[in-house]
Amino acid sequence: MKRTKVGDVIGLLLVVLSGVVLTYGITHRLDLVASDDDVYFDNGLRAIYQHEALPVQMAPLFSAWYLLIDAFYKNSIDTQYASWALLSVLPGLLFYFLLRSLRVGVVPSVALSVLFLYSPLNFPQDQKVSPFTMLWLMGGLIASNYQKNPIYKLSAAAAGALLATYARPEFFLSFLILCTLALGWYVWQRRRTQPKSDQPVTGRPALPYPLFGLMGIALLLVIAFGSPLSGKRSIIAFSQHFAMNYAVWHPEINLSPWMHPQVFIRAGFGRDVSSISEAFFLNPAMFMRHIWANVVTLFVHTEHFVREMLLTPWLSRLAFPGRRYLLLAMLVAVLGLANWPQTGRKLIEGFRRDGWYWLCVFVILLPTFISCILLLPRDHYVVFQMIIYVSLAGVLLRAYTLRPMPQLVPTLGYGAAVVLLGLFLWPQWQLSQQTKPTPTADVLRTLEKLPVGRPVTMTGNLSLMYRIYLGPDWKFVHMDRYRPTDVQAFLAQNAINCIHIQPDVVSRYANDPFFASLIANPAAAGYTKYTINNVPDQYVLVQEPTVSIAHPPSVR
């Protein structure tokens, strides 16, 4: 037992080390991006400083996560980087604990956890609400694996799904199904042990008080804050994602599907729709084309991401002459040293023993498959399904049994694993030392220091939720959404007093006389020019009456 605990600690430290290498120097090589996470951060700030209620369908638990980090940093840029780093490391740790709860060995648990850490679905993933939600789902599954009673297994998984609901509301469906299954199992067990009238009452299952308590908490949350499955979020998401498919089929519609989804909805279904079912009945053929395209894309994306996670990282690091011979030798060793009859028996026994786990996994992840098929198999939906494939890989490695051999061979295997991990991490450590352009972060840091009064109405094509970084008095009007034909009138109508100049803005409006003169001589038009550090092709123009000696704007 002591040896197992030491191995677990070493394995955990290796995963932590891999996470540190992955995120080291993040502020010097990763730029900030606009994503849905900004909305959740903004909701949290509004709840604190403007006393607005957190919408139950808009990830209130994730908003609380941002506020917790922000309480330490007191700066939204630093908060975003800290959240990104934490949510790029914590999923790897939870995968390690999940695999160990499935009795997968320390070495394969470390290997699979590190492979997920370095997969394209983890660190590059900009929708960090998904890995945040995965933490609760995997936490529920880990707790479930340590329960012996099926009712408690289902209840533990349901608890994870309930917590995940307040990061992604669709998991409330998983919670309801798991609770129904737990209740059904209890009723079936109770009826199965029901004694006849002439027999004493013995062996009947006890009342599942934890399950009743969990359901009571869920009911109170629904009464207090509303149902997570209500509202218009589903049709909004359907409209945006259908528009993305339709834009591929009809590239002649020169509009952003994300900003103009109703244009694509009207083109596909003839008019605006208020529900997904309405879209189906208006044009079943178009609806099914959308569904079929998503099914095909889901298979393609899943194959790509599983390959990129489990195979490509190693193959890309074994780039040298004669690589094929080394890989062939490794394959021969794996196949030749295996005790295949014993491996097959252990695999079957393992699947039987883990039956409740697989039931919980598929029920928990059911909403992600529905989202991928009804909406679009985007990366931040597909990432949830990696729980299945990582677990499956772990179970296969757990069943793998070697032929009898001297004790020295397994010892050499552990040493080889450590060496391989070092070879795997070294290129990433070198990458972490490099500095890469971070234009968006540089723009925001420049705007933080501008000596401007309030309020500020800014325009440009860098679509960010500026108020979470600069304060509630900063308003942004996205030029690409309006595409003005008269820039001077556009600036006047929207009371614009701050303009972010980028190359695409210059090229689009180069023929506008006012804009051309503004670029040529900002001072003549009443604007002051501020350059942006490290971004020579971008700058900010601020209308002179706005410039003051006021302190830099702050969200606090």
mmCIF file of all heavy atoms in Angstrom, residues 101-142:
data_model
loop_
_atom_site.group_PDB
_atom_site.id
_atom_site.type_symbol
_atom_site.label_atom_id
_atom_site.label_comp_id
_atom_site.label_asym_id
_atom_site.label_seq_id
_atom_site.Cartn_x
_atom_site.Cartn_y
_atom_site.Cartn_z
ATOM 1 N N SER A 101 -8.675 6.010 -10.544
ATOM 2 C CA SER A 101 -9.902 5.455 -9.947
ATOM 3 C C SER A 101 -10.418 4.266 -10.742
ATOM 4 O O SER A 101 -11.171 3.443 -10.213
ATOM 5 C CB SER A 101 -10.990 6.535 -9.865
ATOM 6 O OG SER A 101 -11.524 6.842 -11.146
ATOM 7 N N LEU A 102 -10.003 4.158 -12.018
ATOM 8 C CA LEU A 102 -10.342 2.992 -12.842
ATOM 9 C C LEU A 102 -9.290 1.889 -12.725
ATOM 10 O O LEU A 102 -9.319 0.931 -13.490
ATOM 11 C CB LEU A 102 -10.464 3.419 -14.310
ATOM 12 C CG LEU A 102 -11.708 4.233 -14.677
ATOM 13 C CD1 LEU A 102 -11.578 4.797 -16.087
ATOM 14 C CD2 LEU A 102 -12.961 3.384 -14.555
ATOM 15 N N ARG A 103 -8.346 2.054 -11.801
ATOM 16 C CA ARG A 103 -7.282 1.084 -11.545
ATOM 17 C C ARG A 103 -6.292 0.961 -12.695
ATOM 18 O O ARG A 103 -5.660 -0.087 -12.891
ATOM 19 C CB ARG A 103 -7.876 -0.295 -11.226
ATOM 20 C CG ARG A 103 -8.858 -0.287 -10.068
ATOM 21 C CD ARG A 103 -9.457 -1.652 -9.836
ATOM 22 N NE ARG A 103 -10.536 -1.617 -8.861
ATOM 23 C CZ ARG A 103 -11.267 -2.660 -8.501
ATOM 24 N NH1 ARG A 103 -11.013 -3.846 -9.027
ATOM 25 N NH2 ARG A 103 -12.233 -2.540 -7.613
ATOM 26 N N VAL A 104 -6.177 2.016 -13.472
ATOM 27 C CA VAL A 104 -5.147 2.059 -14.507
ATOM 28 C C VAL A 104 -3.809 2.335 -13.811
ATOM 29 O O VAL A 104 -3.741 3.102 -12.845
ATOM 30 C CB VAL A 104 -5.464 3.156 -15.544
ATOM 31 C CG1 VAL A 104 -4.365 3.244 -16.601
ATOM 32 C CG2 VAL A 104 -6.819 2.879 -16.204
ATOM 33 N N GLY A 105 -2.732 1.718 -14.273
ATOM 34 C CA GLY A 105 -1.434 1.881 -13.649
ATOM 35 C C GLY A 105 -0.949 3.324 -13.660
ATOM 36 O O GLY A 105 -1.419 4.165 -14.440
ATOM 37 N N VAL A 106 0.031 3.593 -12.797
ATOM 38 C CA VAL A 106 0.541 4.959 -12.668
ATOM 39 C C VAL A 106 1.157 5.439 -13.979
ATOM 40 O O VAL A 106 0.877 6.558 -14.441
ATOM 41 C CB VAL A 106 1.579 5.040 -11.526
ATOM 42 C CG1 VAL A 106 2.277 6.394 -11.541
ATOM 43 C CG2 VAL A 106 0.900 4.810 -10.179
ATOM 44 N N VAL A 107 1.998 4.611 -14.602
ATOM 45 C CA VAL A 107 2.697 5.031 -15.821
ATOM 46 C C VAL A 107 1.719 5.339 -16.949
ATOM 47 O O VAL A 107 1.786 6.422 -17.553
ATOM 48 C CB VAL A 107 3.737 3.980 -16.243
ATOM 49 C CG1 VAL A 107 4.307 4.309 -17.626
ATOM 50 C CG2 VAL A 107 4.861 3.907 -15.221
ATOM 51 N N PRO A 108 0.793 4.436 -17.298
ATOM 52 C CA PRO A 108 -0.159 4.798 -18.358
ATOM 53 C C PRO A 108 -1.071 5.956 -17.970
ATOM 54 O O PRO A 108 -1.478 6.734 -18.835
ATOM 55 C CB PRO A 108 -0.955 3.510 -18.595
ATOM 56 C CG PRO A 108 -0.702 2.651 -17.413
ATOM 57 C CD PRO A 108 0.632 3.024 -16.895
ATOM 58 N N SER A 109 -1.401 6.105 -16.678
ATOM 59 C CA SER A 109 -2.225 7.237 -16.246
ATOM 60 C C SER A 109 -1.503 8.558 -16.473
ATOM 61 O O SER A 109 -2.089 9.533 -16.950
ATOM 62 C CB SER A 109 -2.607 7.095 -14.769
ATOM 63 O OG SER A 109 -3.434 5.975 -14.560
ATOM 64 N N VAL A 110 -0.209 8.582 -16.130
ATOM 65 C CA VAL A 110 0.589 9.788 -16.374
ATOM 66 C C VAL A 110 0.679 10.063 -17.875
ATOM 67 O O VAL A 110 0.493 11.199 -18.331
ATOM 68 C CB VAL A 110 1.995 9.640 -15.766
ATOM 69 C CG1 VAL A 110 2.904 10.792 -16.223
ATOM 70 C CG2 VAL A 110 1.921 9.595 -14.253
ATOM 71 N N ALA A 111 0.972 9.022 -18.644
ATOM 72 C CA ALA A 111 1.157 9.197 -20.093
ATOM 73 C C ALA A 111 -0.107 9.762 -20.746
ATOM 74 O O ALA A 111 -0.046 10.726 -21.517
ATOM 75 C CB ALA A 111 1.539 7.862 -20.726
ATOM 76 N N LEU A 112 -1.253 9.186 -20.434
ATOM 77 C CA LEU A 112 -2.499 9.638 -21.058
ATOM 78 C C LEU A 112 -2.889 11.031 -20.588
ATOM 79 O O LEU A 112 -3.405 11.836 -21.372
ATOM 80 C CB LEU A 112 -3.623 8.637 -20.758
ATOM 81 C CG LEU A 112 -3.476 7.270 -21.426
ATOM 82 C CD1 LEU A 112 -4.530 6.302 -20.917
ATOM 83 C CD2 LEU A 112 -3.584 7.408 -22.943
ATOM 84 N N SER A 113 -2.638 11.326 -19.329
ATOM 85 C CA SER A 113 -2.953 12.662 -18.816
ATOM 86 C C SER A 113 -2.090 13.725 -19.496
ATOM 87 O O SER A 113 -2.579 14.796 -19.871
ATOM 88 C CB SER A 113 -2.745 12.710 -17.299
ATOM 89 O OG SER A 113 -3.564 11.765 -16.640
ATOM 90 N N VAL A 114 -0.793 13.416 -19.669
ATOM 91 C CA VAL A 114 0.112 14.362 -20.321
ATOM 92 C C VAL A 114 -0.259 14.523 -21.794
ATOM 93 O O VAL A 114 -0.221 15.632 -22.343
ATOM 94 C CB VAL A 114 1.571 13.912 -20.168
ATOM 95 C CG1 VAL A 114 2.506 14.778 -21.006
ATOM 96 C CG2 VAL A 114 1.985 13.954 -18.702
ATOM 97 N N LEU A 115 -0.643 13.432 -22.435
ATOM 98 C CA LEU A 115 -1.049 13.526 -23.840
ATOM 99 C C LEU A 115 -2.279 14.421 -23.995
ATOM 100 O O LEU A 115 -2.384 15.181 -24.962
ATOM 101 C CB LEU A 115 -1.331 12.132 -24.397
ATOM 102 C CG LEU A 115 -0.104 11.254 -24.650
ATOM 103 C CD1 LEU A 115 -0.517 9.852 -25.057
ATOM 104 C CD2 LEU A 115 0.793 11.875 -25.710
ATOM 105 N N PHE A 116 -3.205 14.340 -23.050
ATOM 106 C CA PHE A 116 -4.355 15.256 -23.128
ATOM 107 C C PHE A 116 -3.912 16.696 -22.893
ATOM 108 O O PHE A 116 -4.383 17.616 -23.571
ATOM 109 C CB PHE A 116 -5.436 14.881 -22.113
ATOM 110 C CG PHE A 116 -6.579 15.862 -22.142
ATOM 111 C CD1 PHE A 116 -7.564 15.776 -23.109
ATOM 112 C CD2 PHE A 116 -6.652 16.902 -21.221
ATOM 113 C CE1 PHE A 116 -8.592 16.707 -23.169
ATOM 114 C CE2 PHE A 116 -7.678 17.834 -21.261
ATOM 115 C CZ PHE A 116 -8.654 17.730 -22.239
ATOM 116 N N LEU A 117 -3.023 16.906 -21.920
ATOM 117 C CA LEU A 117 -2.543 18.258 -21.646
ATOM 118 C C LEU A 117 -1.995 18.916 -22.908
ATOM 119 O O LEU A 117 -2.210 20.109 -23.141
ATOM 120 C CB LEU A 117 -1.455 18.225 -20.573
ATOM 121 C CG LEU A 117 -1.891 18.075 -19.113
ATOM 122 C CD1 LEU A 117 -0.666 17.974 -18.217
ATOM 123 C CD2 LEU A 117 -2.765 19.244 -18.687
ATOM 124 N N TYR A 118 -1.290 18.139 -23.723
ATOM 125 C CA TYR A 118 -0.624 18.699 -24.898
ATOM 126 C C TYR A 118 -1.428 18.504 -26.177
ATOM 127 O O TYR A 118 -0.917 18.726 -27.271
ATOM 128 C CB TYR A 118 0.768 18.093 -25.032
ATOM 129 C CG TYR A 118 1.719 18.656 -24.007
ATOM 130 C CD1 TYR A 118 1.775 18.143 -22.719
ATOM 131 C CD2 TYR A 118 2.535 19.741 -24.309
ATOM 132 C CE1 TYR A 118 2.617 18.675 -21.759
ATOM 133 C CE2 TYR A 118 3.387 20.279 -23.364
ATOM 134 C CZ TYR A 118 3.421 19.746 -22.086
ATOM 135 O OH TYR A 118 4.255 20.294 -21.139
ATOM 136 N N SER A 119 -2.683 18.106 -26.057
ATOM 137 C CA SER A 119 -3.525 17.946 -27.233
ATOM 138 C C SER A 119 -4.053 19.300 -27.690
ATOM 139 O O SER A 119 -4.127 20.252 -26.909
ATOM 140 C CB SER A 119 -4.697 17.007 -26.913
ATOM 141 O OG SER A 119 -5.663 17.670 -26.108
ATOM 142 N N PRO A 120 -4.454 19.431 -28.955
ATOM 143 C CA PRO A 120 -4.989 20.706 -29.451
ATOM 144 C C PRO A 120 -6.324 21.084 -28.840
ATOM 145 O O PRO A 120 -6.777 22.215 -29.023
ATOM 146 C CB PRO A 120 -5.111 20.464 -30.967
ATOM 147 C CG PRO A 120 -5.118 18.985 -31.143
ATOM 148 C CD PRO A 120 -4.315 18.427 -30.027
ATOM 149 N N LEU A 121 -6.954 20.169 -28.115
ATOM 150 C CA LEU A 121 -8.223 20.482 -27.464
ATOM 151 C C LEU A 121 -8.043 21.073 -26.072
ATOM 152 O O LEU A 121 -9.032 21.439 -25.436
ATOM 153 C CB LEU A 121 -9.082 19.216 -27.354
ATOM 154 C CG LEU A 121 -9.737 18.738 -28.645
ATOM 155 C CD1 LEU A 121 -10.447 17.415 -28.410
ATOM 156 C CD2 LEU A 121 -10.719 19.774 -29.181
ATOM 157 N N ASN A 122 -6.815 21.167 -25.586
ATOM 158 C CA ASN A 122 -6.610 21.652 -24.228
ATOM 159 C C ASN A 122 -6.058 23.073 -24.203
ATOM 160 O O ASN A 122 -6.813 24.037 -24.139
ATOM 161 C CB ASN A 122 -5.685 20.706 -23.462
ATOM 162 C CG ASN A 122 -5.532 21.111 -22.007
ATOM 163 O OD1 ASN A 122 -6.495 21.517 -21.362
ATOM 164 N ND2 ASN A 122 -4.331 21.048 -21.489
ATOM 165 N N PHE A 123 -4.762 23.235 -24.285
ATOM 166 C CA PHE A 123 -4.163 24.573 -24.151
ATOM 167 C C PHE A 123 -4.660 25.561 -25.208
ATOM 168 O O PHE A 123 -5.011 26.692 -24.877
ATOM 169 C CB PHE A 123 -2.639 24.467 -24.180
ATOM 170 C CG PHE A 123 -1.938 25.770 -23.933
ATOM 171 C CD1 PHE A 123 -1.816 26.286 -22.646
ATOM 172 C CD2 PHE A 123 -1.408 26.494 -24.985
ATOM 173 C CE1 PHE A 123 -1.182 27.498 -22.421
ATOM 174 C CE2 PHE A 123 -0.762 27.700 -24.772
ATOM 175 C CZ PHE A 123 -0.650 28.199 -23.486
ATOM 176 N N PRO A 124 -4.728 25.197 -26.479
ATOM 177 C CA PRO A 124 -5.192 26.170 -27.478
ATOM 178 C C PRO A 124 -6.683 26.477 -27.383
ATOM 179 O O PRO A 124 -7.148 27.422 -28.021
ATOM 180 C CB PRO A 124 -4.864 25.493 -28.816
ATOM 181 C CG PRO A 124 -3.901 24.398 -28.485
ATOM 182 C CD PRO A 124 -4.265 23.957 -27.114
ATOM 183 N N GLN A 125 -7.439 25.670 -26.640
ATOM 184 C CA GLN A 125 -8.893 25.837 -26.557
ATOM 185 C C GLN A 125 -9.242 27.170 -25.907
ATOM 186 O O GLN A 125 -8.912 27.413 -24.743
ATOM 187 C CB GLN A 125 -9.489 24.686 -25.745
ATOM 188 C CG GLN A 125 -10.970 24.776 -25.467
ATOM 189 C CD GLN A 125 -11.798 24.733 -26.727
ATOM 190 O OE1 GLN A 125 -12.339 25.735 -27.139
ATOM 191 N NE2 GLN A 125 -11.864 23.566 -27.345
ATOM 192 N N ASP A 126 -9.924 28.065 -26.664
ATOM 193 C CA ASP A 126 -10.222 29.385 -26.107
ATOM 194 C C ASP A 126 -11.542 29.443 -25.352
ATOM 195 O O ASP A 126 -11.800 30.405 -24.634
ATOM 196 C CB ASP A 126 -10.190 30.460 -27.207
ATOM 197 C CG ASP A 126 -11.180 30.181 -28.330
ATOM 198 O OD1 ASP A 126 -12.018 29.281 -28.186
ATOM 199 O OD2 ASP A 126 -11.105 30.881 -29.366
ATOM 200 N N GLN A 127 -12.392 28.432 -25.499
ATOM 201 C CA GLN A 127 -13.638 28.377 -24.734
ATOM 202 C C GLN A 127 -13.369 27.594 -23.443
ATOM 203 O O GLN A 127 -13.704 26.420 -23.321
ATOM 204 C CB GLN A 127 -14.742 27.695 -25.552
ATOM 205 C CG GLN A 127 -15.018 28.362 -26.889
ATOM 206 C CD GLN A 127 -15.973 29.534 -26.767
ATOM 207 O OE1 GLN A 127 -16.440 29.858 -25.675
ATOM 208 N NE2 GLN A 127 -16.273 30.183 -27.865
ATOM 209 N N LYS A 128 -12.759 28.266 -22.475
ATOM 210 C CA LYS A 128 -12.331 27.571 -21.266
ATOM 211 C C LYS A 128 -13.494 27.176 -20.356
ATOM 212 O O LYS A 128 -13.284 26.468 -19.368
ATOM 213 C CB LYS A 128 -11.349 28.456 -20.490
ATOM 214 C CG LYS A 128 -9.982 28.592 -21.166
ATOM 215 C CD LYS A 128 -9.310 27.235 -21.333
ATOM 216 C CE LYS A 128 -7.948 27.358 -21.987
ATOM 217 N NZ LYS A 128 -7.321 26.049 -22.241
ATOM 218 N N VAL A 129 -14.701 27.603 -20.683
ATOM 219 C CA VAL A 129 -15.855 27.133 -19.915
ATOM 220 C C VAL A 129 -16.018 25.616 -20.073
ATOM 221 O O VAL A 129 -16.526 24.948 -19.160
ATOM 222 C CB VAL A 129 -17.136 27.874 -20.354
ATOM 223 C CG1 VAL A 129 -17.529 27.529 -21.778
ATOM 224 C CG2 VAL A 129 -18.286 27.590 -19.398
ATOM 225 N N SER A 130 -15.561 25.062 -21.190
ATOM 226 C CA SER A 130 -15.685 23.607 -21.394
ATOM 227 C C SER A 130 -14.770 22.808 -20.480
ATOM 228 O O SER A 130 -15.240 21.897 -19.778
ATOM 229 C CB SER A 130 -15.434 23.260 -22.865
ATOM 230 O OG SER A 130 -16.485 23.743 -23.680
ATOM 231 N N PRO A 131 -13.462 23.077 -20.429
ATOM 232 C CA PRO A 131 -12.643 22.343 -19.446
ATOM 233 C C PRO A 131 -13.063 22.612 -18.014
ATOM 234 O O PRO A 131 -12.942 21.725 -17.166
ATOM 235 C CB PRO A 131 -11.219 22.831 -19.715
ATOM 236 C CG PRO A 131 -11.344 24.047 -20.551
ATOM 237 C CD PRO A 131 -12.621 23.905 -21.316
ATOM 238 N N PHE A 132 -13.563 23.829 -17.732
ATOM 239 C CA PHE A 132 -14.067 24.098 -16.384
ATOM 240 C C PHE A 132 -15.234 23.163 -16.059
ATOM 241 O O PHE A 132 -15.306 22.593 -14.961
ATOM 242 C CB PHE A 132 -14.527 25.558 -16.286
ATOM 243 C CG PHE A 132 -15.163 25.915 -14.969
ATOM 244 C CD1 PHE A 132 -14.383 26.175 -13.858
ATOM 245 C CD2 PHE A 132 -16.545 25.991 -14.841
ATOM 246 C CE1 PHE A 132 -14.972 26.503 -12.637
ATOM 247 C CE2 PHE A 132 -17.142 26.317 -13.636
ATOM 248 C CZ PHE A 132 -16.345 26.573 -12.532
ATOM 249 N N THR A 133 -16.125 22.980 -17.007
ATOM 250 C CA THR A 133 -17.261 22.070 -16.807
ATOM 251 C C THR A 133 -16.794 20.630 -16.675
ATOM 252 O O THR A 133 -17.337 19.852 -15.877
ATOM 253 C CB THR A 133 -18.241 22.198 -17.983
ATOM 254 O OG1 THR A 133 -18.570 23.571 -18.185
ATOM 255 C CG2 THR A 133 -19.512 21.413 -17.714
ATOM 256 N N MET A 134 -15.773 20.271 -17.439
ATOM 257 C CA MET A 134 -15.244 18.902 -17.369
ATOM 258 C C MET A 134 -14.725 18.564 -15.977
ATOM 259 O O MET A 134 -14.798 17.397 -15.552
ATOM 260 C CB MET A 134 -14.120 18.722 -18.389
ATOM 261 C CG MET A 134 -14.584 18.647 -19.839
ATOM 262 S SD MET A 134 -13.194 18.572 -20.997
ATOM 263 C CE MET A 134 -12.446 16.994 -20.536
ATOM 264 N N LEU A 135 -14.210 19.564 -15.262
ATOM 265 C CA LEU A 135 -13.700 19.300 -13.914
ATOM 266 C C LEU A 135 -14.799 18.735 -13.026
ATOM 267 O O LEU A 135 -14.583 17.789 -12.259
ATOM 268 C CB LEU A 135 -13.137 20.580 -13.301
ATOM 269 C CG LEU A 135 -11.981 21.254 -14.043
ATOM 270 C CD1 LEU A 135 -11.538 22.511 -13.283
ATOM 271 C CD2 LEU A 135 -10.814 20.300 -14.233
ATOM 272 N N TRP A 136 -16.006 19.308 -13.110
ATOM 273 C CA TRP A 136 -17.118 18.845 -12.275
ATOM 274 C C TRP A 136 -17.607 17.473 -12.737
ATOM 275 O O TRP A 136 -17.922 16.601 -11.899
ATOM 276 C CB TRP A 136 -18.263 19.852 -12.312
ATOM 277 C CG TRP A 136 -17.847 21.218 -11.874
ATOM 278 C CD1 TRP A 136 -17.683 22.329 -12.650
ATOM 279 C CD2 TRP A 136 -17.503 21.618 -10.534
ATOM 280 N NE1 TRP A 136 -17.269 23.391 -11.889
ATOM 281 C CE2 TRP A 136 -17.153 22.987 -10.595
ATOM 282 C CE3 TRP A 136 -17.467 20.961 -9.317
ATOM 283 C CZ2 TRP A 136 -16.768 23.707 -9.461
ATOM 284 C CZ3 TRP A 136 -17.073 21.676 -8.190
ATOM 285 C CH2 TRP A 136 -16.736 23.025 -8.266
ATOM 286 N N LEU A 137 -17.669 17.277 -14.044
ATOM 287 C CA LEU A 137 -18.116 15.985 -14.560
ATOM 288 C C LEU A 137 -17.148 14.870 -14.155
ATOM 289 O O LEU A 137 -17.564 13.800 -13.690
ATOM 290 C CB LEU A 137 -18.243 16.041 -16.079
ATOM 291 C CG LEU A 137 -19.286 17.006 -16.647
ATOM 292 C CD1 LEU A 137 -19.220 17.019 -18.168
ATOM 293 C CD2 LEU A 137 -20.686 16.632 -16.176
ATOM 294 N N MET A 138 -15.840 15.122 -14.329
ATOM 295 C CA MET A 138 -14.860 14.094 -13.964
ATOM 296 C C MET A 138 -14.789 13.906 -12.459
ATOM 297 O O MET A 138 -14.579 12.788 -11.979
ATOM 298 C CB MET A 138 -13.490 14.457 -14.531
ATOM 299 C CG MET A 138 -13.401 14.291 -16.040
ATOM 300 S SD MET A 138 -11.698 14.306 -16.681
ATOM 301 C CE MET A 138 -11.316 16.045 -16.531
ATOM 302 N N GLY A 139 -15.006 14.986 -11.709
ATOM 303 C CA GLY A 139 -15.059 14.842 -10.255
ATOM 304 C C GLY A 139 -16.182 13.916 -9.831
ATOM 305 O O GLY A 139 -16.005 13.063 -8.943
ATOM 306 N N GLY A 140 -17.352 14.060 -10.456
ATOM 307 C CA GLY A 140 -18.473 13.168 -10.163
ATOM 308 C C GLY A 140 -18.166 11.729 -10.540
ATOM 309 O O GLY A 140 -18.510 10.786 -9.806
ATOM 310 N N LEU A 141 -17.508 11.525 -11.678
ATOM 311 C CA LEU A 141 -17.162 10.164 -12.112
ATOM 312 C C LEU A 141 -16.123 9.529 -11.194
ATOM 313 O O LEU A 141 -16.187 8.329 -10.903
ATOM 314 C CB LEU A 141 -16.634 10.202 -13.554
ATOM 315 C CG LEU A 141 -17.674 10.533 -14.632
ATOM 316 C CD1 LEU A 141 -16.990 10.760 -15.972
ATOM 317 C CD2 LEU A 141 -18.710 9.416 -14.742
ATOM 318 N N ILE A 142 -15.152 10.330 -10.741
ATOM 319 C CA ILE A 142 -14.146 9.804 -9.810
ATOM 320 C C ILE A 142 -14.806 9.358 -8.512
ATOM 321 O O ILE A 142 -14.542 8.255 -7.999
ATOM 322 C CB ILE A 142 -13.073 10.875 -9.535
ATOM 323 C CG1 ILE A 142 -12.253 11.138 -10.796
ATOM 324 C CG2 ILE A 142 -12.153 10.442 -8.389
ATOM 325 C CD1 ILE A 142 -11.380 12.365 -10.720
#
